[in-house]
């Protein structure tokens, strides 16, 4: 019996309960362990149950201790502004508002990782020391933003005053991995052609910052996003190379392998997926060295348990969850799928093609079984074409990975030779990019869980899998037919259900930003497309449309070009076309050069269709800050909707002075509910029944303002920061 595996399951459950603030008393788990042990002889499964409860009990106690010793100092800083000294551990990067970097700070003798945001562009590199005033925000379970906790970053530090920047020693050993990573990235940038360099950097080092949104979404939709997230695949490729170079001699392989794995993990940034893979590879080296049997599930359990013991909040990391789930899926389902494909026979040496096909499909399907639910929850996407894409491309990843390593090694002797090899390696990279982009354009290459019907279909398929696994007479053809039939019904419901509404208004939850979808009389218009993250906002907008079968907008209207209203529009237009793009008057060229028709609203515009009208009101002060926002009125028989962008009460009064604004059913609060917008004059004139506020949870601007909410008292108010995505049907 794999005791460590069952214990690890309990320990991981405890970490999850603690991280998501669902922890129960450790004594209850301990009582379960005792009862399981007492009844172990009457029913053998009680032994496993006892180990799970024991792991859960000890895990809760360990998490409690970890919180009191490692996180107490970070928790004390939450929401406060203090003078602190932060040492930068990696190279900084530009943000829309300045510069960001990761570093460490000392809190009562405990080292705490922190992500720093400066209000200006500065050159930050390993060893840089920041002294100044910062406003801190906790990312652990008690904080408002828990996204970064899985990466081991427990505080976000925002510049709040003057910050002194000084450079420390440049040759500190702790900075070696970051500087080596930077050097390797520069080599790849210099040697590879511009179209292939982003993929090479992502494949070798997990650096996806330079990948275009179009490329990244193609990988996600086509089901090969995992190849550019450094993980177990990359470590296995590296391990295979080490074994071959050391002639499979166990002592020599271990002598070289341990330091190489450690350096690779450090250069890759000690990401959870790489850490898991390196620990398992290290265990394999140790098993060979000591002539012990290597047991995969036990090794996976040990790796996960070690990582959770060092940092329990790693359980919240998407990379950790996907990495563990992928390997678990291979151990659970690879063999039965392989036997089914090969007809329960082991292919002979002459059946190379059959063995390759069966192995590729078995690995892909077994991984999908355990990772699809996670991808559906975190990314909202279920790739249907992933098996085909993996078959066509995965065999080349080994060649490209080794080629990138060769380029880096050759560059130490001759940049010319390195560049020549890079040009050769660029050919298979271009093949992968073309394949992913082509397959991603296929109809139904992926489906999206933004539709509740697709979510229900995913649950239905896993119910089928459970029944299939418990059945004595398993018929895969019946399983596949039921899944396809269920998908057809889910797609039909997703496409037809919105058509039942005469008017459908969707205010998407994009964080601190605005993205509004209006569907009326068979037409679809989107007003604004911006939020916390350009790529994430574009994903939400595109997948909301695609989940309804909408591949083309009748119009995209951007009230103004601030990032929180327009930052994601260019990304959106790589996935969804539009007949017309309406922009405020702006000088020079724009980033929307690929759009066919662009209309600049220098004066009021109107689009009419089937008894409905969309009126775009031009700004009377196009050079005056937020007052340059366009305003949009949707006038339909069933529902009138008014959108005022970021105009203040002054801009609203100008609108009322120069335009006729009728009584409306729905008003989108101006400037995300700021105190100086949605003034009493507009409320009196428009007299909306419903007011929607698009604002991010815990945003630093205090939106929506208390005075705005007071003015809206007595009306139905919906907020994306509390209600999530808002859908109003008429």
């Amino acid at each position: 019996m794999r005791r460590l595996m069952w214990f690890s399951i309990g320990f991981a459950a405890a970490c999850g309960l603690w991280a998501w603030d669902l922890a129960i008393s450790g004594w209850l788990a301990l009582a379960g362990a005792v009862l399981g042990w007492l009844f172990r002889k009457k029913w053998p499964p009680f032994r496993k149950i006892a180990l799970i409860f024991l792991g859960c009990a000890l895990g809760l106690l360990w998490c409690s201790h970890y919180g009191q010793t490692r996180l107490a100092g970070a928790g004390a800083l939450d929401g406060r502004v203090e003078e602190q000294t932060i040492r930068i551990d990696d190279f900084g990067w530009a943000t829309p508002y300045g510069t960001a970097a990761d570093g460490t700070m000392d809190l009562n003798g405990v080292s705490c990782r922190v992500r720093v945001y400066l209000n200006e562009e500065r050159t930050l590199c390993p060893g840089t020391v920041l002294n100044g005033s910062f406003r801190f925000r906790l990312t652990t379970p008690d904080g408002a933003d828990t996204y970064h906790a899985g990466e081991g970053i427990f505080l976000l530090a925002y510049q709040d005053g003057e910050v002194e920047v000084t450079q420390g020693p440049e040759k500190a050993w702790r900075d070696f991995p970051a500087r080596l990573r930077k050097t390797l990235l520069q080599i790849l940038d210099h040697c590879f052609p511009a179209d292939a360099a982003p993929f090479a950097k992502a494949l070798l080092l997990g650096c996806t910052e330079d990948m275009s949104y179009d490329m990244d979404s193609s990988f996600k939709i086509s089901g090969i996003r995992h190849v550019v997230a450094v993980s177990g695949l990359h470590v296995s490729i590296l391990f295979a190379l080490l074994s071959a170079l050391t002639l499979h001699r166990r002592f020599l392989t271990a002598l070289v392998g341990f330091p190489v794995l450690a350096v690779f993990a450090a250069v890759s940034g000690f990401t959870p997926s790489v850490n898991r893979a390196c620990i398992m590879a290290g265990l394999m080296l140790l098993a060979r060295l000591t002539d012990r049997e290597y047991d995969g599930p036990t090794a996976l359990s040990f790796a996960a348990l070690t990582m959770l013991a060092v940092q329990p909040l790693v359980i919240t990391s998407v990379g950790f969850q996907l990495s563990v789930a992928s390997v678990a899926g291979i151990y659970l389902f690879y063999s039965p799928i392989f036997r089914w494909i090969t007809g329960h026979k082991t292919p002979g040496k002459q059946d190379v093609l059959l063995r390759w096909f069966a192995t590729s499909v078995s690995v892909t399907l077994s991984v999908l079984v355990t990772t699809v639910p996670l991808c559906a929850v975190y990314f909202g996407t279920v790739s249907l074409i992933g098996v085909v894409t993996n078959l066509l491309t995965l065999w080349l990843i080994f060649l490209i990975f080794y080629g990138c390593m060769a380029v880096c090694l050759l560059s130490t002797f001759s940049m010319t030779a390195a560049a020549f090899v890079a040009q050769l390696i660029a050919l298979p990279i271009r093949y992968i990019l073309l394949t992913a982009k082509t397959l991603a354009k296929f109809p139904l290459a992926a489906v999206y869980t933004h539709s509740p019907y697709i979510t229900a279909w995913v649950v239905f398929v896993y119910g089928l899998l459970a029944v299939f696994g418990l059945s004595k007479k398993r018929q895969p053809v019946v399983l596949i037919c039921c899944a396809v039939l269920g998908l057809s019904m889910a797609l039909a419901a997703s496409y037809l259900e919105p058509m039942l509404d005469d008017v459908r208004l969707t205010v998407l939850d994009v964080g601190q930003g605005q993205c509004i979808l209006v569907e009326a009389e068979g037409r679809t218009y989107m007003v604004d497309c911006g939020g916390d993250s350009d790529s994430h906002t574009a994903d939400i907008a595109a997948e909301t449309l695609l989940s309804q079968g909408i591949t083309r907008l009748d119009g995209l209207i951007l009230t103004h070009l601030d990032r929180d209203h327009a930052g994601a529009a260019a990304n959106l237009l790589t996935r969804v076309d539009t007949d017309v793009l309406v922009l405020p008057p702006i000088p020079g060229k724009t980033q929307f050069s690929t759009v066919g028709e662009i209309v600049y609203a220098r004066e009021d515009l109107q689009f009419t269709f089937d008894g409905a009208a969309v009126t775009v009101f031009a700004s009377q002060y196009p050079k005056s800050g937020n007052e340059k926002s366009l305003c949009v009125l949707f006038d339909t028989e069933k529902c009138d909707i008014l959108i005022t962008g970021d105009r203040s009460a002054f801009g609203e009064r100008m609108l009322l002075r120069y335009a006729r604004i009728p009584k409306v059913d729905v008003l989108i609060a101006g400037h995300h509910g700021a105190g100086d917008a949605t003034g009493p004059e507009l409320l009196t004139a428009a007299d909306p029944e419903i007011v929607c506020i698009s604002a991010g949870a815990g945003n630093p601007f205090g939106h929506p303002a208390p005075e705005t909410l007071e003015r809206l008292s007595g009306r139905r108010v919906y907020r994306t920061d509390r209600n999530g995505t808002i859908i109003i049907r008429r």
Side-chain angles (χ1 to χ4, degrees), residues 377-397:
V377 169
Y378 290 115
F379 310 123
T381 302
V382 178
S383 175
L384 301 180
I385 207 166
V387 175
V388 176
T389 317
N390 278 274
L391 275 174
L392 294 176
T393 61
L394 209 56
W395 58 278
L396 276 173
I397 298 300

PDB file of all heavy atoms in Angstrom, residues 377-397:
ATOM      1  N   VAL A 377     -12.126  25.830 -15.173  1.00  0.00           N
ATOM      2  CA  VAL A 377     -12.326  26.751 -14.055  1.00  0.00           C
ATOM      3  C   VAL A 377     -11.448  27.991 -14.189  1.00  0.00           C
ATOM      4  O   VAL A 377     -11.919  29.125 -14.043  1.00  0.00           O
ATOM      5  CB  VAL A 377     -12.040  26.039 -12.715  1.00  0.00           C
ATOM      6  CG1 VAL A 377     -11.991  27.038 -11.570  1.00  0.00           C
ATOM      7  CG2 VAL A 377     -13.090  24.972 -12.443  1.00  0.00           C
ATOM      8  N   TYR A 378     -10.162  27.792 -14.495  1.00  0.00           N
ATOM      9  CA  TYR A 378      -9.222  28.911 -14.480  1.00  0.00           C
ATOM     10  C   TYR A 378      -9.166  29.677 -15.796  1.00  0.00           C
ATOM     11  O   TYR A 378      -8.951  30.889 -15.791  1.00  0.00           O
ATOM     12  CB  TYR A 378      -7.822  28.410 -14.130  1.00  0.00           C
ATOM     13  CG  TYR A 378      -7.679  27.965 -12.701  1.00  0.00           C
ATOM     14  CD1 TYR A 378      -7.415  26.636 -12.384  1.00  0.00           C
ATOM     15  CD2 TYR A 378      -7.814  28.859 -11.652  1.00  0.00           C
ATOM     16  CE1 TYR A 378      -7.286  26.217 -11.069  1.00  0.00           C
ATOM     17  CE2 TYR A 378      -7.699  28.452 -10.337  1.00  0.00           C
ATOM     18  CZ  TYR A 378      -7.427  27.132 -10.050  1.00  0.00           C
ATOM     19  OH  TYR A 378      -7.301  26.727  -8.751  1.00  0.00           O
ATOM     20  N   PHE A 379      -9.334  28.989 -16.908  1.00  0.00           N
ATOM     21  CA  PHE A 379      -9.164  29.639 -18.207  1.00  0.00           C
ATOM     22  C   PHE A 379     -10.453  29.705 -19.021  1.00  0.00           C
ATOM     23  O   PHE A 379     -10.490  30.380 -20.050  1.00  0.00           O
ATOM     24  CB  PHE A 379      -8.091  28.905 -19.028  1.00  0.00           C
ATOM     25  CG  PHE A 379      -6.814  28.679 -18.273  1.00  0.00           C
ATOM     26  CD1 PHE A 379      -6.307  27.407 -18.095  1.00  0.00           C
ATOM     27  CD2 PHE A 379      -6.128  29.747 -17.719  1.00  0.00           C
ATOM     28  CE1 PHE A 379      -5.131  27.195 -17.385  1.00  0.00           C
ATOM     29  CE2 PHE A 379      -4.951  29.546 -17.013  1.00  0.00           C
ATOM     30  CZ  PHE A 379      -4.452  28.271 -16.844  1.00  0.00           C
ATOM     31  N   GLY A 380     -11.497  29.011 -18.581  1.00  0.00           N
ATOM     32  CA  GLY A 380     -12.774  29.065 -19.276  1.00  0.00           C
ATOM     33  C   GLY A 380     -12.770  28.424 -20.646  1.00  0.00           C
ATOM     34  O   GLY A 380     -13.666  28.671 -21.452  1.00  0.00           O
ATOM     35  N   THR A 381     -11.755  27.615 -20.938  1.00  0.00           N
ATOM     36  CA  THR A 381     -11.601  27.051 -22.280  1.00  0.00           C
ATOM     37  C   THR A 381     -11.404  25.539 -22.217  1.00  0.00           C
ATOM     38  O   THR A 381     -10.623  25.049 -21.398  1.00  0.00           O
ATOM     39  CB  THR A 381     -10.389  27.682 -22.994  1.00  0.00           C
ATOM     40  OG1 THR A 381     -10.567  29.094 -23.061  1.00  0.00           O
ATOM     41  CG2 THR A 381     -10.234  27.136 -24.401  1.00  0.00           C
ATOM     42  N   VAL A 382     -12.097  24.826 -23.069  1.00  0.00           N
ATOM     43  CA  VAL A 382     -11.902  23.386 -23.222  1.00  0.00           C
ATOM     44  C   VAL A 382     -11.558  23.142 -24.689  1.00  0.00           C
ATOM     45  O   VAL A 382     -12.407  23.302 -25.572  1.00  0.00           O
ATOM     46  CB  VAL A 382     -13.155  22.587 -22.826  1.00  0.00           C
ATOM     47  CG1 VAL A 382     -12.921  21.096 -23.058  1.00  0.00           C
ATOM     48  CG2 VAL A 382     -13.530  22.848 -21.378  1.00  0.00           C
ATOM     49  N   SER A 383     -10.308  22.778 -24.958  1.00  0.00           N
ATOM     50  CA  SER A 383      -9.880  22.540 -26.338  1.00  0.00           C
ATOM     51  C   SER A 383     -10.398  21.187 -26.811  1.00  0.00           C
ATOM     52  O   SER A 383     -10.189  20.164 -26.162  1.00  0.00           O
ATOM     53  CB  SER A 383      -8.351  22.572 -26.436  1.00  0.00           C
ATOM     54  OG  SER A 383      -7.925  22.238 -27.737  1.00  0.00           O
ATOM     55  N   LEU A 384     -11.069  21.187 -27.950  1.00  0.00           N
ATOM     56  CA  LEU A 384     -11.570  19.946 -28.539  1.00  0.00           C
ATOM     57  C   LEU A 384     -10.628  19.384 -29.587  1.00  0.00           C
ATOM     58  O   LEU A 384     -10.768  18.237 -30.004  1.00  0.00           O
ATOM     59  CB  LEU A 384     -12.948  20.189 -29.173  1.00  0.00           C
ATOM     60  CG  LEU A 384     -14.053  20.693 -28.243  1.00  0.00           C
ATOM     61  CD1 LEU A 384     -15.345  20.881 -29.020  1.00  0.00           C
ATOM     62  CD2 LEU A 384     -14.264  19.742 -27.074  1.00  0.00           C
ATOM     63  N   ILE A 385      -9.682  20.195 -30.006  1.00  0.00           N
ATOM     64  CA  ILE A 385      -8.783  19.782 -31.084  1.00  0.00           C
ATOM     65  C   ILE A 385      -7.377  19.492 -30.551  1.00  0.00           C
ATOM     66  O   ILE A 385      -6.456  19.243 -31.319  1.00  0.00           O
ATOM     67  CB  ILE A 385      -8.738  20.884 -32.170  1.00  0.00           C
ATOM     68  CG1 ILE A 385      -8.411  20.284 -33.533  1.00  0.00           C
ATOM     69  CG2 ILE A 385      -7.764  22.009 -31.791  1.00  0.00           C
ATOM     70  CD1 ILE A 385      -8.667  21.226 -34.685  1.00  0.00           C
ATOM     71  N   GLY A 386      -7.237  19.511 -29.234  1.00  0.00           N
ATOM     72  CA  GLY A 386      -5.921  19.365 -28.623  1.00  0.00           C
ATOM     73  C   GLY A 386      -5.201  18.074 -28.963  1.00  0.00           C
ATOM     74  O   GLY A 386      -3.977  18.060 -29.127  1.00  0.00           O
ATOM     75  N   VAL A 387      -5.955  16.974 -29.073  1.00  0.00           N
ATOM     76  CA  VAL A 387      -5.320  15.686 -29.386  1.00  0.00           C
ATOM     77  C   VAL A 387      -4.648  15.750 -30.753  1.00  0.00           C
ATOM     78  O   VAL A 387      -3.511  15.304 -30.941  1.00  0.00           O
ATOM     79  CB  VAL A 387      -6.360  14.548 -29.339  1.00  0.00           C
ATOM     80  CG1 VAL A 387      -5.720  13.246 -29.782  1.00  0.00           C
ATOM     81  CG2 VAL A 387      -6.922  14.400 -27.926  1.00  0.00           C
ATOM     82  N   VAL A 388      -5.339  16.331 -31.725  1.00  0.00           N
ATOM     83  CA  VAL A 388      -4.788  16.447 -33.076  1.00  0.00           C
ATOM     84  C   VAL A 388      -3.558  17.345 -33.072  1.00  0.00           C
ATOM     85  O   VAL A 388      -2.522  17.021 -33.672  1.00  0.00           O
ATOM     86  CB  VAL A 388      -5.853  16.997 -34.041  1.00  0.00           C
ATOM     87  CG1 VAL A 388      -5.261  17.207 -35.428  1.00  0.00           C
ATOM     88  CG2 VAL A 388      -7.049  16.058 -34.104  1.00  0.00           C
ATOM     89  N   THR A 389      -3.649  18.485 -32.392  1.00  0.00           N
ATOM     90  CA  THR A 389      -2.522  19.430 -32.357  1.00  0.00           C
ATOM     91  C   THR A 389      -1.295  18.799 -31.712  1.00  0.00           C
ATOM     92  O   THR A 389      -0.165  18.976 -32.200  1.00  0.00           O
ATOM     93  CB  THR A 389      -2.913  20.704 -31.590  1.00  0.00           C
ATOM     94  OG1 THR A 389      -4.216  21.120 -31.965  1.00  0.00           O
ATOM     95  CG2 THR A 389      -1.925  21.819 -31.873  1.00  0.00           C
ATOM     96  N   ASN A 390      -1.501  18.081 -30.626  1.00  0.00           N
ATOM     97  CA  ASN A 390      -0.371  17.425 -29.960  1.00  0.00           C
ATOM     98  C   ASN A 390       0.267  16.377 -30.856  1.00  0.00           C
ATOM     99  O   ASN A 390       1.490  16.233 -30.893  1.00  0.00           O
ATOM    100  CB  ASN A 390      -0.832  16.798 -28.639  1.00  0.00           C
ATOM    101  CG  ASN A 390      -0.889  17.802 -27.507  1.00  0.00           C
ATOM    102  OD1 ASN A 390       0.105  18.058 -26.838  1.00  0.00           O
ATOM    103  ND2 ASN A 390      -2.046  18.397 -27.306  1.00  0.00           N
ATOM    104  N   LEU A 391      -0.557  15.620 -31.585  1.00  0.00           N
ATOM    105  CA  LEU A 391      -0.009  14.617 -32.498  1.00  0.00           C
ATOM    106  C   LEU A 391       0.854  15.259 -33.583  1.00  0.00           C
ATOM    107  O   LEU A 391       1.907  14.733 -33.960  1.00  0.00           O
ATOM    108  CB  LEU A 391      -1.144  13.836 -33.156  1.00  0.00           C
ATOM    109  CG  LEU A 391      -1.719  12.638 -32.386  1.00  0.00           C
ATOM    110  CD1 LEU A 391      -2.934  12.087 -33.114  1.00  0.00           C
ATOM    111  CD2 LEU A 391      -0.667  11.554 -32.214  1.00  0.00           C
ATOM    112  N   LEU A 392       0.423  16.420 -34.074  1.00  0.00           N
ATOM    113  CA  LEU A 392       1.121  17.065 -35.177  1.00  0.00           C
ATOM    114  C   LEU A 392       2.364  17.832 -34.741  1.00  0.00           C
ATOM    115  O   LEU A 392       3.253  18.077 -35.561  1.00  0.00           O
ATOM    116  CB  LEU A 392       0.163  18.022 -35.905  1.00  0.00           C
ATOM    117  CG  LEU A 392      -1.013  17.386 -36.641  1.00  0.00           C
ATOM    118  CD1 LEU A 392      -1.928  18.454 -37.219  1.00  0.00           C
ATOM    119  CD2 LEU A 392      -0.517  16.462 -37.750  1.00  0.00           C
ATOM    120  N   THR A 393       2.445  18.210 -33.474  1.00  0.00           N
ATOM    121  CA  THR A 393       3.525  19.120 -33.068  1.00  0.00           C
ATOM    122  C   THR A 393       4.436  18.607 -31.966  1.00  0.00           C
ATOM    123  O   THR A 393       5.605  18.995 -31.908  1.00  0.00           O
ATOM    124  CB  THR A 393       2.931  20.461 -32.598  1.00  0.00           C
ATOM    125  OG1 THR A 393       2.077  20.233 -31.462  1.00  0.00           O
ATOM    126  CG2 THR A 393       2.115  21.118 -33.697  1.00  0.00           C
ATOM    127  N   LEU A 394       3.927  17.758 -31.077  1.00  0.00           N
ATOM    128  CA  LEU A 394       4.686  17.441 -29.873  1.00  0.00           C
ATOM    129  C   LEU A 394       6.011  16.749 -30.176  1.00  0.00           C
ATOM    130  O   LEU A 394       6.994  16.919 -29.438  1.00  0.00           O
ATOM    131  CB  LEU A 394       3.838  16.568 -28.940  1.00  0.00           C
ATOM    132  CG  LEU A 394       4.128  16.707 -27.437  1.00  0.00           C
ATOM    133  CD1 LEU A 394       3.990  18.148 -26.999  1.00  0.00           C
ATOM    134  CD2 LEU A 394       3.196  15.820 -26.630  1.00  0.00           C
ATOM    135  N   TRP A 395       6.069  15.996 -31.245  1.00  0.00           N
ATOM    136  CA  TRP A 395       7.296  15.265 -31.575  1.00  0.00           C
ATOM    137  C   TRP A 395       8.437  16.203 -31.937  1.00  0.00           C
ATOM    138  O   TRP A 395       9.616  15.813 -31.891  1.00  0.00           O
ATOM    139  CB  TRP A 395       7.019  14.301 -32.730  1.00  0.00           C
ATOM    140  CG  TRP A 395       6.516  14.971 -33.979  1.00  0.00           C
ATOM    141  CD1 TRP A 395       5.237  15.347 -34.238  1.00  0.00           C
ATOM    142  CD2 TRP A 395       7.279  15.341 -35.122  1.00  0.00           C
ATOM    143  NE1 TRP A 395       5.140  15.944 -35.479  1.00  0.00           N
ATOM    144  CE2 TRP A 395       6.379  15.948 -36.046  1.00  0.00           C
ATOM    145  CE3 TRP A 395       8.622  15.210 -35.469  1.00  0.00           C
ATOM    146  CZ2 TRP A 395       6.795  16.433 -37.280  1.00  0.00           C
ATOM    147  CZ3 TRP A 395       9.030  15.681 -36.708  1.00  0.00           C
ATOM    148  CH2 TRP A 395       8.133  16.285 -37.598  1.00  0.00           C
ATOM    149  N   LEU A 396       8.113  17.450 -32.292  1.00  0.00           N
ATOM    150  CA  LEU A 396       9.152  18.410 -32.651  1.00  0.00           C
ATOM    151  C   LEU A 396       9.707  19.177 -31.455  1.00  0.00           C
ATOM    152  O   LEU A 396      10.746  19.826 -31.571  1.00  0.00           O
ATOM    153  CB  LEU A 396       8.590  19.420 -33.659  1.00  0.00           C
ATOM    154  CG  LEU A 396       8.600  19.005 -35.134  1.00  0.00           C
ATOM    155  CD1 LEU A 396       7.856  20.037 -35.965  1.00  0.00           C
ATOM    156  CD2 LEU A 396      10.027  18.841 -35.634  1.00  0.00           C
ATOM    157  N   ILE A 397       9.012  19.115 -30.331  1.00  0.00           N
ATOM    158  CA  ILE A 397       9.434  19.909 -29.173  1.00  0.00           C
ATOM    159  C   ILE A 397      10.821  19.482 -28.691  1.00  0.00           C
ATOM    160  O   ILE A 397      11.640  20.325 -28.304  1.00  0.00           O
ATOM    161  CB  ILE A 397       8.401  19.780 -28.034  1.00  0.00           C
ATOM    162  CG1 ILE A 397       7.052  20.331 -28.501  1.00  0.00           C
ATOM    163  CG2 ILE A 397       8.866  20.512 -26.795  1.00  0.00           C
ATOM    164  CD1 ILE A 397       7.085  21.777 -28.915  1.00  0.00           C
TER     165      ILE A 397
END
